[in-house]
Amino acid sequence: MPHSPSSRRRVRARTAGAAWHPVRVNPAESPFVRACRRLPVPHTPVWYMRQAGRSLPEYRALREGVPMLTACATPDLIVEITMQPVRRHGVDAAIFFSDIVVPLKAIGVDLDIKPGVGPVVADPIRSTDALGALRPIEPDDVPYVGEAVRGLVKELGPVPLIGFAGAPFTLASYLIEGGPSKNHDHTKAMMYGEPALWHDLMDRLTDITIGYLRIQAEAGASALQLFDSWVGAVAPDDYRAFVLPHTSRIFAALADLDVPRIHFGVGTGELLGLLGEAGADVVGVDWRVPLDRAAERIGPGRAVQGNLDPAVLLAPWEVIESRARDALERGRAAEGHVFNLGHGVLPSTDPGALTRLTEFVHAFPVS
Ligand SMILES: Cc1c2[nH]c(c1CCC(=O)O)Cc1[nH]c(c(CCC(=O)O)c1C)Cc1[nH]c(c(CCC(=O)O)c1C)Cc1[nH]c(c(C)c1CCC(=O)O)C2
């Protein structure tokens, strides 16, 4: 195993601890889930968006010759790739290895994930006729998801597993544009120009997202994160009119599940209050807004997650440490804080820096 001696020791210690202190076997009692619920924690929990894959050599070795969507449909690979960052860094949560377009592929949308590009959709959806392709998702559409979640829950023991889905706006953008987009032109053209078609599309994506998140929670995921990565492209009034009704419906439909719900987007400084209003337990914050100010904008009754600029990890350790300290100190202003980056780990990140950062966060006093 390529991980460092210190992380190996920590994993062994955690396993041993779990056996001696049965209460710690339960992921629902983990520091991560407790922080999401705004309960006292022994240390600030930490995990990293896109921690599975990206910077890990052991990930690249496993993925050699395996297309992304094949990996996402292979339970053994999902389990192993999801476990890699947990073993290596000793993070407080695992995130299910998959992609936001997996449920769309599973219901029959013709799409692929192109290396170095991202999701590419063969027939972009721009008319009422094309909406027929978007039917609700059932557990049988994604048997590999339930199987991998159940395998992971066993393997992870006390460490919680985060299930996730793409939010309707971000999924709509890929479906309407046909691939990654800088300005979301076609997406906004439909939103402004054909509101009935827009809401019909968003409604269908909302049903798929609810179904897909429920499948993961019912198979044993301990938390759910909704990635609305590109929603920062929308102004607040438009978010309220064109997006909020749908994201609110998602969080309301998941409220009966006993798992915390996290809501994240990039460039959402002006939307943070509305993201909180949508109903999640935790609002993810990118690096553009300091966490104390973000907590004010989000309002009471929510925890925050974030928010080190992923590019800071490319700087020397002294810089990483001082920026992490700042985020941790500001995070104390929130009712709960899960440490994370402000967006995904960059592929060129030194994995050693992530391990060291994890140790630093764990050693930092909570108050
Ligand atoms: C917007 C978005 C996508 N996918 C995802 C988001 C939301 C998070 C975010 O904002 O970054 C979510 C995602 N995608 C992936 C995960 C894995 C779990 C994790 O470690 O967080 C997660 C949580 C794997 C992936 N998703 C993708 C890969 C690379 C695929 C390959 O190797 O061919 C992986 C490991 C492909 C992908 N998928 C997507 C893009 C833009 C790309 C290309 C850029 C990239 O490489 O990350 C869409």
Side-chain angles (χ1 to χ4, degrees):
M1 280 292 159
H3 46 65
S4 69
S6 75
S7 72
R8 208 174 298 139
R9 227 180 7 254
R10 198 170 41 249
V11 170
R12 210 182 299 131
R14 182 184 288 126
T15 314
W20 296 330
H21 305 287
V23 70
R24 295 199 57 209
V25 172
N26 185 356
E29 290 298 322
S30 62
F32 167 74
V33 170
R34 289 182 63 85
C36 291
R37 297 197 187 289
R38 296 171 285 119
L39 296 169
V41 284
H43 61 259
T44 303
V46 45
W47 69 280
Y48 305 108
M49 290 184 279
R50 309 297 307 275
Q51 67 189 13
R54 288 272 168 110
S55 69
L56 298 185
E58 59 268 36
Y59 165 76
R60 288 195 205 105
L62 270 185
R63 276 288 315 282
E64 193 109 11
V66 184
M68 179 63 183
L69 286 173
T70 307
C72 292
T74 311
D76 289 355
L77 275 179
I78 299 172
V79 170
E80 185 53 27
I81 296 171
T82 301
M83 291 304 297
Q84 285 177 340
V86 179
R87 293 197 198 105
R88 188 192 256 266
H89 306 307
V91 283
D92 292 272
I95 179 145
F96 191 72
F97 179 78
S98 189
D99 192 82
I100 57 169
V101 296
V102 164
L104 301 177
K105 175 84 180 172
I107 59 163
V109 177
D110 186 358
L111 61 83
D112 198 5
I113 296 180
K114 298 243 155 78
V117 179
V120 177
V121 178
D123 306 306
I125 293 187
R126 296 184 190 160
S127 68
T128 308
D129 286 352
L131 288 186
L134 300 176
R135 62 159 175 87
I137 192 164
E138 304 292 337
D140 286 350
D141 293 316
V142 281
Y144 41 85
V145 171
E147 190 182 332
V149 170
R150 286 186 291 273
L152 276 163
V153 168
K154 271 193 215 132
E155 186 98 11
L156 283 162
V159 178
L161 175 68
I162 304 170
F164 75 90
F169 178 87
T170 294
L171 293 177
S173 170
Y174 285 110
L175 288 173
I176 299 168
E177 305 293 335
S181 165
K182 194 158 168 259
N183 297 320
H184 311 278
D185 321 25
H186 296 285
T187 309
K188 289 186 171 182
M190 186 193 292
M191 191 175 88
Y192 294 128
E194 295 179 275
L197 176 59
W198 170 261
H199 283 296
D200 193 350
L201 171 61
M202 291 289 279
D203 250 335
R204 288 165 191 259
L205 292 172
T206 296
D207 288 335
I208 293 165
T209 299
I210 292 167
Y212 190 60
L213 288 170
R214 287 198 82 90
I215 289 168
Q216 296 172 73
E218 282 165 7
S222 290
L224 297 172
Q225 176 154 326
L226 186 70
F227 281 97
D228 212 349
S229 302
W230 312 139
V231 81
V234 173
D237 284 350
D238 293 323
Y239 186 90
R240 193 179 278 290
F242 296 110
V243 184
L244 182 64
H246 306 285
T247 39
S248 300
R249 184 155 78 83
I250 292 172
F251 290 116
L254 302 171
D256 64 307
L257 298 168
D258 192 22
V259 299
R261 300 150 301 161
I262 309 170
H263 193 178
F264 168 77
V266 182
T268 56
E270 295 297 330
L271 300 178
L272 287 172
L274 290 163
L275 293 192
E277 233 179 85
D281 304 284
V282 185
V283 176
V285 181
D286 84 0
W287 63 92
R288 293 173 177 89
V289 184
L291 282 183
D292 46 350
R293 203 170 311 153
E296 246 170 63
R297 291 184 189 180
I298 293 162
R302 314 265 179 242
V304 300
Q305 176 172 279
N307 74 340
L308 194 71
D309 185 341
V312 163
L313 283 161
L314 309 178
W317 170 251
E318 295 65 41
V319 179
I320 302 173
E321 187 187 294
S322 88
R323 298 299 186 111
R325 173 177 290 116
D326 184 61
L328 285 159
E329 283 170 353
R330 291 178 188 275
R332 288 176 179 151
E335 293 177 28
H337 178 207
V338 174
F339 189 92
N340 206 314
L341 306 180
H343 197 188
V345 174
L346 296 169
S348 58
T349 305
D350 169 11
L354 284 172
T355 306
R356 195 167 175 188
L357 176 59
T358 309
E359 285 164 0
F360 178 76
V361 174
H362 283 164
F364 199 82
V366 280
S367 59

